[in-house]
């Protein structure tokens, strides 16, 4: 990377970090051009140069954190010695990510993210295809060998992630009847039972 590219990367990171802090503190209404440039100390011109618009900045922020979450989930699958341990690890990793990166999790589970996904569905699917197909590639041999129930891959994904996403959204909404540590103890085995052959 050239020095100019390094400076550009640092500038982009400053803008992204400021936007995430603002989102965590004030939600969507906190991410304005003025607020982001003030919080980051970066000029308006640099924001437009790197992201094109505030929407481009938010899209990149969501993409960056989704990539990180998917990477951590896939790593948990790769590190497990058994299929059962992999499902347990995946659930725990997701809940730990939500707890450790609350602001990013708020954004990824927000109506903003949902709207972006609906509006940009095909582009997002195409961009995420390699990562999502990695999960499908991990699942397929385990289905064929009988380690997992013989179900379509999208249904297995829903059985694994549906309950976890629902618990995460509930916790992120501030409802205090959900304890993520307790969920991490209970959900993995319950989810595994729904997938066991």
């Amino acid at each position: 990377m050239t020095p100019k590219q390094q400076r550009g990367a640092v500038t982009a990171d400053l803008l992204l970090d400021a936007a995430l802090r603002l989102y965590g503190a004030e939600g969507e209404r906190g991410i304005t051009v003025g607020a982001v440039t003030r919080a980051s100390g970066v000029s308006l011109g640099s924001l437009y140069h790197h992201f094109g618009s505030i929407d481009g900045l938010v899209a990149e922020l969501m993409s960056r954190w989704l990539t990180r979450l998917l990477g951590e989930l896939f790593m948990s699958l790769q590190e497990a010695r058994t299929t059962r341990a992999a499902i347990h690890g995946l659930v725990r990793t997701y809940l730990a990510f939500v707890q450790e990166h609350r602001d990013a999790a708020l954004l990824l589970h927000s109506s903003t993210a949902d709207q972006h996904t609906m509006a940009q569905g095909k582009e997002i699917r195409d961009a995420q295809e390699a990562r999502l197909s990695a999960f499908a590639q991990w699942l397929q041999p385990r289905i064929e060998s009988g380690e997992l129930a013989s179900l379509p891959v999208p249904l297995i994904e829903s059985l694994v992630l549906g309950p976890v996403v629902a618990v995460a959204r509930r916790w992120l909404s501030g409802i205090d009847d959900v304890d993520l540590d307790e969920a991490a103890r209970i959900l993995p085995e319950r989810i595994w039972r729904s997938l066991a052959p």
Side-chain angles (χ1 to χ4, degrees), residues 5-197:
Q5 290 171 321
Q6 288 174 340
R7 285 191 305 274
V10 168
T11 299
D13 285 344
L14 288 170
L15 289 161
L16 290 164
D17 292 346
L20 184 61
R21 282 192 313 275
L22 289 164
Y23 190 88
E26 301 178 44
E28 185 177 350
R29 71 182 179 282
I31 302 182
T32 65
V33 171
V36 171
T37 55
R38 277 190 305 277
S40 66
V42 173
S43 72
L44 176 64
S46 290
L47 186 150
Y48 285 111
H49 170 74
H50 288 286
F51 302 105
S53 66
I54 198 74
D55 291 337
L57 172 70
V58 173
E60 177 59 28
L61 185 60
M62 286 187 289
S63 176
R64 177 178 280 198
W65 281 98
L66 181 58
T67 297
R68 182 168 174 180
L69 171 60
L70 291 174
E72 289 184 22
L73 293 176
F74 191 69
M75 180 83 67
S76 74
L77 291 176
Q78 297 294 86
E79 292 174 349
R81 293 196 326 223
T82 67
T83 302
R84 180 175 179 246
I87 298 300
H88 279 233
L90 186 93
V91 172
R92 288 189 183 112
T93 298
Y94 195 108
L95 294 173
F97 179 92
V98 169
Q99 203 162 26
E100 291 168 19
H101 306 288
R102 182 186 170 279
D103 293 348
L106 272 170
L107 179 62
L108 292 177
H109 293 87
S110 69
S111 60
T112 302
D114 291 344
Q115 290 167 2
H116 180 72
T117 300
M118 295 297 280
Q120 307 286 318
K122 183 177 181 343
E123 293 86 354
I124 291 170
R125 275 192 303 278
D126 291 347
Q128 298 298 336
E129 187 175 315
R131 286 173 289 228
L132 294 175
S133 67
F135 185 49
Q137 289 172 3
W138 182 89
L139 287 171
Q140 199 59 51
R142 286 153 182 87
I143 294 167
E144 291 168 4
S145 71
E147 295 172 62
L148 287 170
S150 182
L151 298 169
V153 168
L155 292 182
I156 292 178
E157 290 173 356
S158 296
L159 286 169
V160 173
L161 295 176
V164 180
V165 170
V167 166
R169 284 181 187 257
R170 191 172 182 102
W171 183 78
L172 290 164
S173 72
I175 298 173
D176 64 357
D177 64 350
V178 174
D179 179 329
L180 288 187
D181 292 328
E182 181 180 35
R185 284 191 306 275
I186 295 170
L187 282 180
E189 186 60 23
R190 297 289 178 152
I191 290 170
W192 168 249
R193 286 183 202 165
S194 73
L195 302 173

